[in-house]
Amino acid sequence: MRNIPITLVRDAAPAAAPPTGALARLGLAMRRHRRVIMGVQWAVVLFYFSLLIYPAFMPLPAEDAHILGNLRLFAQFLFWGVWWPFVMLSTMLLGRVWCGVFCPEGAMTELASRHGLGRPIPRWIRWSGWPFVAFVCTTVYGQLVSVYEYPQAALLVLGGSSVAAVAVGLVYGRGTRVWCRYLCPANGVFGLLAKVAPLHFQVNETLWKQSTQRSAAVNCAPLIDIAHMKSASACHSCGRCSGERGAVALALRSPARDILGTGVREAKTEEAVTLIFGVIGIATAAFLWSASPRFVQMKGALADGLIERDWLVLLQDNAPWWLLTHYPEAHDVFSWLDGLCILLFILGGGGLLGLAVWAGVWLAARALQDANLSWQKLALALVPVAGIGVFLGLSMLTLGHLKAEGVNLAWVPAVRAGLLALGAGFSAYLLLRLCRVRLAWRPVAGLLLALLPLGLIVRVWLSALFGL
């Protein structure tokens, strides 16, 4: 009898099931109802520019004017008291939904790129340092022209950003958001805060590879390689890719997952620099300079020195409003010395704070000597406390408006303390997990060194908020 060869075939691994559930269905609905989202975006565009342009040509409000009775005050409160702080908070909770569903600049630059020149993106735009540089320049310039207080300054800063976004869209990209991906001043901050968002669009690489679905490529506006997307940092949560190949779905995750799962090569130096020197350093100094006694002391000492030497040029207040705050009718005018001191305090003080934080995480990484843990990755553990710090700083404006309206703010200290404890506690937990503390001197020393910059950040905010 002839022997017949028998080939043993192993059972194929079962394919992973496509995600289901309410969130997955919500993501699919976002994709199906793309026109509704576009309608929302353009409604926001109209509302945004109405409140940005019209108040800039209105007279100063009377001293007894109220938010609900004066459009200028209402726009100021809505932009800086509601919009900006809660966009930051929503990014930490929901991911970059603001970018993908509501942002007017994103909608305009994408539309412009559909009808523009469609040129390839040059190397200088792809430079990874733009998020940090743009954030610092916008933050500092906004303080010099008092962007939070005056609609003319807001129109200049925000309107200028919108014009630049449209111009970039007209020249580069084809139906994409080149401005948002590379040049938006808030892109770096949003990318960091989205790392701790429990809501994200999850990509199952196994399902993606197993799928035989063939369809037109998804137009990912922020130019993400969807098949290999692991982090929520760059994703705009627009829903366009939801359900693609049965592998992409809106889902919940642990807020610690993104940071703990970041590989040492994926932890980018530019992200860590934006976090440490931008969000923690420069932004904190920008929030605190106007109420800082050190700022007053520095300005007084410099003014005395200038008067003694009869150098009075810097004491003049003849700068134009678009360079330094100049509103004589509101009795609010910056001298050249004011501008110089603001620059010194924000850049110098923010730089020193950032340097101290960087030194702590760098020394911690050196002490740990773990090939899988660089100082860049260790720095990401500070995202929660940095994000809460940004929200607390911006909410100072919110509370200032509410106090002027006579709202009872007795609850504020408890809420502030709770938020600060939440952010610091989450960062401490991430540091503990990253340092893998056990009964050995290196992990313990590394953790203690890493906790020093966290303690410094908390100390700065305790002093600013509670005078401790």
Side-chain angles (χ1 to χ4, degrees):
M1 184 177 180
R2 186 177 179 181
N3 293 331
I4 300 176
I6 299 175
T7 303
L8 298 177
V9 180
R10 295 182 180 179
D11 292 338
T20 59
L23 286 177
R25 290 194 296 271
L26 175 60
L28 292 173
M30 292 176 68
R31 181 170 185 171
R32 285 197 307 269
H33 301 291
R34 180 66 195 159
R35 289 183 179 276
V36 175
I37 292 179
M38 293 176 64
V40 170
Q41 287 180 334
W42 288 106
V44 173
V45 168
L46 293 175
F47 187 66
Y48 174 81
F49 281 105
S50 297
L51 291 183
L52 185 64
I53 297 173
Y54 186 66
F57 299 95
M58 294 179 63
L60 286 170
E63 293 184 4
D64 59 349
H66 295 278
I67 290 174
L68 297 180
N70 184 277
L71 181 59
R72 180 167 170 149
L73 289 179
F74 178 73
Q76 183 182 345
F77 175 70
L78 206 59
F79 272 127
W80 309 115
V82 178
W83 165 58
W84 203 225
F86 286 96
V87 163
M88 294 294 181
L89 188 62
S90 71
T91 303
M92 297 180 71
L93 297 175
L94 306 175
R96 299 180 63 168
V97 174
W98 165 260
C99 298
V101 178
F102 300 103
C103 181
E105 285 189 1
M108 290 188 300
T109 193
E110 185 175 348
L111 177 66
S113 71
R114 291 198 194 104
H115 305 284
L117 301 177
R119 292 181 179 175
I121 306 169
R123 182 175 297 179
W124 69 267
I125 284 184
R126 296 177 185 267
W127 180 52
S128 60
W130 281 124
F132 174 71
V133 172
F135 175 76
V136 170
C137 290
T138 304
T139 300
V140 174
Y141 181 64
Q143 295 300 308
L144 292 175
V145 297
S146 298
V147 69
Y148 299 144
E149 283 79 26
Y150 298 101
Q152 294 92 331
L155 177 59
L156 179 63
V157 175
L158 299 178
S161 177
S162 298
V163 170
V166 172
V168 169
L170 286 173
V171 178
Y172 304 108
R174 291 182 175 86
T176 57
R177 299 187 176 189
V178 176
W179 167 263
C180 303
R181 175 64 186 270
Y182 298 107
L183 300 174
C184 173
N187 179 49
V189 181
F190 288 155
L192 288 166
L193 299 187
K195 289 181 180 294
V196 298
L199 195 67
H200 75 137
F201 277 90
Q202 175 184 332
V203 179
N204 187 319
E205 286 193 47
T206 302
L207 276 177
W208 187 283
K209 293 176 181 178
Q210 292 175 347
S211 174
T212 58
Q213 174 186 343
R214 291 293 178 266
S215 58
V218 176
N219 175 29
C220 180
L223 304 164
I224 300 172
D225 180 4
I226 300 171
H228 302 100
M229 183 175 70
K230 295 183 176 65
S231 172
S233 281
C235 176
H236 283 194
S237 298
C238 63
R240 298 184 200 185
C241 64
S242 185
E244 184 70 14
R245 300 195 179 200
V248 184
L250 186 63
L252 286 174
R253 63 173 183 173
S254 165
R257 178 181 168 184
D258 203 326
I259 292 175
L260 295 180
T262 299
V264 67
R265 294 184 178 179
E266 297 165 349
K268 302 174 183 177
T269 299
E270 54 268 23
E271 276 191 335
V273 169
T274 300
L275 173 65
I276 293 174
F277 289 95
V279 182
I280 294 175
I282 299 298
T284 302
F287 292 135
L288 303 182
W289 72 266
S290 59
S292 172
R294 292 184 179 86
F295 176 83
V296 176
Q297 294 167 3
M298 176 179 66
K299 179 184 171 182
L302 289 175
D304 291 341
L306 292 172
I307 292 172
E308 288 176 4
R309 292 166 177 78
D310 202 27
W311 296 346
L312 305 182
V313 174
L314 289 179
L315 298 179
Q316 296 180 7
D317 56 8
N318 55 356
W321 69 269
W322 48 266
L323 188 59
L324 290 175
T325 300
H326 190 89
Y327 301 94
E329 64 277 16
H331 308 290
D332 191 6
V333 177
F334 283 178
S335 67
W336 293 100
L337 178 61
D338 288 319
L340 176 62
C341 290
I342 292 171
L343 284 174
L344 288 174
F345 189 93
I346 296 178
L347 296 179
L352 288 175
L353 176 57
L355 188 62
V357 171
W358 171 81
V361 294
W362 183 84
L363 288 172
R366 293 281 293 179
L368 289 166
Q369 290 190 356
D370 186 343
N372 296 316
L373 188 61
S374 61
W375 71 265
Q376 293 92 333
K377 181 175 178 178
L378 201 58
L380 294 179
L382 300 176
V383 166
V385 73
I388 292 298
V390 169
F391 178 76
L392 290 173
L394 290 169
S395 65
M396 291 178 178
L397 305 168
T398 312
L399 298 173
H401 285 290
L402 295 178
K403 184 178 181 180
E405 295 294 315
V407 176
N408 184 359
L409 302 178
W411 50 271
V412 169
V415 173
R416 281 175 163 175
L419 287 173
L420 188 59
L422 181 63
F426 190 13
S427 285
Y429 167 76
L430 291 173
L431 289 171
L432 184 66
R433 290 286 305 275
L434 289 173
C435 293
R436 303 173 186 175
V437 175
R438 56 189 184 277
L439 294 178
W441 77 269
R442 282 194 181 277
V444 173
L447 176 63
L448 292 177
L449 286 169
L451 288 174
L452 288 177
L454 175 59
L456 176 61
I457 297 168
V458 173
R459 180 69 184 84
V460 168
W461 281 108
L462 287 175
S463 176
L465 298 176
F466 306 105
L468 299 178

